[in-house]
């Protein structure tokens, strides 16, 4: 059975929900505090999936996610790269997205290029919302047809189910330039978008989440782990019964990644049998 590593740290507060997302999708989970990982980064080698939860790591004291990302850059970047080379899907919602960007995992190298030996400087940012306020609401979601993201590709979205919750003060996606945004779009690295009339924070290009060139690392500002059951939908009692017959959006996202890992494992077993 696929094993998912949940990484925790001071201020992280969505770890239990993220853990439940993996468990509901059929994975087993184990947790590790960042202090433990800094002492023994090889713990990452035991993971088939990895989750960087949301919250307010280290109180967002310097900037959202920056302290945790800095500690991880110094001690475990190589282990993350090795995990990606062996095909480990990673999800980083909200504060996790901010960390993954500053750690150097997103957007990562362009297709066909190798990972850098040392962490690269960030080329995208999650800046303060253009409202200058913390936002906590449900928004519409769009999945680009060309996305290569293993977490969001092929999601089945009903009209009522194409919603996802957000809760952040610094979630405005900003690439270093227009060319990078264009390249991410062309390369299928935009994993999800806000609807054009439902962009709550001013994200450039309505970008809600991106993936690396392998499609394994998903960083997104919403919290899919908060939409594992239809009863979590903001007006679920008014939804038509048939629209609640399938898995909710959040659960589909986790099942996509767990299925990817299980399929890879089955293929490996067939090759060696």
């Amino acid at each position: 059975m696929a094993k998912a590593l949940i990484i925790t740290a001071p201020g992280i507060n969505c770890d239990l929900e993220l853990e439940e997302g993996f468990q509901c999708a059929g994975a087993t989970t184990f947790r590790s505090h960042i202090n433990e990982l800094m002492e023994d980064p090889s713990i990452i080698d035991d993971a088939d999936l990895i989750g960087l939860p949301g919250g307010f790591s280290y109180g967002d004291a310097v900037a959202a996610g920056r302290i945790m990302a800095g500690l991880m850059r110094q001690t475990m970047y190589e282990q993350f790269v090795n995990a990606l080379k062996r095909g480990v899907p990673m999800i980083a919602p909200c504060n996790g997205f901010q960390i993954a960007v500053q750690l150097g995992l997103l957007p990562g190298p362009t297709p066909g290029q190798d990972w850098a030996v040392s962490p690269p400087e960030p080329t995208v940012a999650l800046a303060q919302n253009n409202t200058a306020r913390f936002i906590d609401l449900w928004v519409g979601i769009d999945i680009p047809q060309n996305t290569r993201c293993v977490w969001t590709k092929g999601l089945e979205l009903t009209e009522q189910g194409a919603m996802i919750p957000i809760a952040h003060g610094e979630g405005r996606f900003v690439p270093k330039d227009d060319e990078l945004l264009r390249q991410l779009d062309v390369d299928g690295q935009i994993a999800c978008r806000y609807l054009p009339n439902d962009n709550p924070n001013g994200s450039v290009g309505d970008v809600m989440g991106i993936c690396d060139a392998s499609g394994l690392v998903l960083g997104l500002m919403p919290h899919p782990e908060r939409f594992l059951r239809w009863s979590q939908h903001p007006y679920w009692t008014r939804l038509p019964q048939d629209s609640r017959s399938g898995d909710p959006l959040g659960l589909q996202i986790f099942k996509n990644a767990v299925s990817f890992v299980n399929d890879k494992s089955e293929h490996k077993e067939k090759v060696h049998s």
Side-chain angles (χ1 to χ4, degrees):
M1 183 178 290
K3 296 185 299 182
L5 167 63
I6 312 298
I7 299 175
T8 64
I12 291 292
N13 63 13
C14 297
D15 48 314
L16 294 179
E17 291 95 332
L18 194 63
E19 188 170 18
E20 184 180 15
F22 282 114
Q23 291 172 350
C24 289
T28 61
T29 57
F30 66 108
R31 301 154 62 85
S32 186
H33 193 277
I34 186 173
N35 290 350
E36 183 182 22
L37 288 172
M38 286 192 293
E39 291 181 5
D40 183 11
S42 68
I43 292 172
I44 294 171
D45 299 339
D46 293 329
D48 302 308
L49 301 126
I50 295 175
L52 277 171
F56 304 89
S57 59
Y58 294 91
D60 288 345
V62 178
R66 185 167 297 175
I67 295 176
M68 185 167 172
L71 294 172
M72 296 171 79
R73 283 173 69 95
Q74 295 173 22
T75 57
M76 61 192 81
Y77 172 78
E78 183 180 355
Q79 274 69 30
F80 277 101
V81 169
N82 289 339
L84 290 171
K85 288 180 178 179
R86 60 186 176 86
V88 174
M90 305 180 188
I91 188 168
C94 201
N95 197 222
F97 190 7
Q98 297 156 346
I99 293 166
V101 161
Q102 295 173 57
L103 173 56
L105 297 182
L106 289 171
T110 57
Q113 288 188 334
D114 292 331
W115 284 90
V117 176
S118 56
E121 290 303 309
T123 57
V124 303
L126 285 312
Q128 186 181 56
N129 299 342
N130 61 357
T131 60
R133 295 181 177 180
F134 186 89
I135 300 172
D136 182 2
L137 46 77
W138 284 66
V139 294
I141 182 173
D142 178 61
I143 308 297
Q145 289 187 348
N146 73 328
T147 186
R148 62 176 66 210
C149 180
V150 303
W151 297 83
T152 62
K153 184 187 300 183
L155 294 178
E156 296 179 6
L157 303 180
T158 63
E159 181 179 353
Q160 296 87 354
M163 298 178 67
I164 195 164
I166 62 171
H168 57 256
E170 298 178 40
R172 178 167 55 93
F173 179 83
V174 182
K176 69 174 183 178
D177 53 39
D178 292 340
E179 174 57 24
L180 176 59
L181 179 65
R182 187 196 70 81
Q183 199 61 51
L184 291 174
D185 192 6
V186 169
D187 291 339
Q189 289 185 242
I190 296 179
C192 46
R193 280 193 171 96
Y194 301 102
L195 299 180
N197 60 349
D198 201 10
N199 181 338
N201 53 30
S203 288
V204 176
D206 298 321
V207 173
M208 175 187 283
I210 62 173
C211 65
D212 71 316
S214 71
L216 292 171
V217 187
L218 168 62
L220 73 171
M221 287 314 301
H223 290 271
E225 72 277 12
R226 297 182 184 177
F227 192 17
L228 305 175
R229 296 176 294 279
W230 281 107
S231 57
Q232 293 173 306
H233 191 283
Y235 50 88
W236 71 278
T237 57
R238 287 175 280 161
L239 295 178
Q241 184 64 37
D242 59 351
S243 71
R244 292 187 275 128
S245 59
D247 290 327
L249 172 62
L251 183 55
Q252 287 187 51
I253 289 174
F254 286 98
K255 282 190 171 181
N256 264 2
V258 173
S259 294
F260 174 86
V261 170
N262 289 339
D263 290 346
K264 183 181 65 172
S265 178
E266 290 176 6
H267 176 73
K268 187 180 296 185
E269 288 178 2
K270 289 180 180 178
V271 169
H272 292 288
S273 62

